[in-house]
Amino acid sequence: MGDPVKGKTLFVRMCSMCHTVGKNEKHRVGPNLFGIFGKTCGTTAGFNYTDAMKNKNIVWNESTLDEYLRLPKDFVPGTRMVFTGIKKADERKDVIAYLATLK
């Protein structure tokens, strides 16, 4: 796993304009990511997911998040997420380590 402190900094810079992370915070353009680890994709209440995301039927964990964050549109063709991905593996690991703390 990566460094959650570095991951938080990266998350704020790359992800926070579209995602919230606090428990019970409202969704933005993307869903709130609190408690994402162990959750099935496309199931966060109150967010309007694409059929592609709802039908992907994977559980978010270190491996699936790494694949998704590398190239979102390749991992879930049809996703609305416009983010092009995090190319550096160490940065992905850091962001994932931060997301793992959100519980």
Side-chain angles (χ1 to χ4, degrees), residues 27 39 43-47 49:
H27 303 297
K39 188 179 285 185
T43 62
T44 300
F47 188 77
Y49 289 97

Side-chain angles (χ1 to χ4, degrees), residues 10-103:
L10 290 165
F11 182 90
V12 168
R13 190 178 83 222
M14 292 190 259
C15 313
S16 65
M17 67 284 303
C18 294
H19 295 278
T20 57
V21 294
K23 186 175 185 176
N24 300 319
E25 274 188 288
K26 293 185 178 198
H27 303 297
R28 290 191 179 150
V29 173
N32 176 292
L33 299 177
F34 182 84
I36 190 170
F37 264 73
K39 188 179 285 185
T40 301
C41 70
T43 62
T44 300
F47 188 77
N48 185 25
Y49 289 97
T50 61
D51 287 340
M53 186 61 81
K54 288 189 273 188
N55 295 328
K56 184 69 177 179
N57 198 32
I58 54 102
V59 174
W60 293 123
N61 59 40
E62 187 176 351
S63 174
T64 55
L65 282 165
D66 185 61
E67 281 187 73
Y68 183 65
L69 291 173
R70 186 173 53 81
L71 286 167
K73 288 192 181 283
D74 282 359
F75 188 66
V76 183
T79 183
R80 283 190 305 256
M81 187 158 145
V82 296
F83 185 65
T84 58
I86 302 171
K87 304 305 177 222
K88 296 180 180 178
D90 59 327
E91 289 183 352
R92 285 194 312 274
K93 286 180 190 263
D94 291 343
V95 169
I96 293 165
Y98 170 64
L99 292 173
T101 69
L102 304 174
K103 45 186 167 186

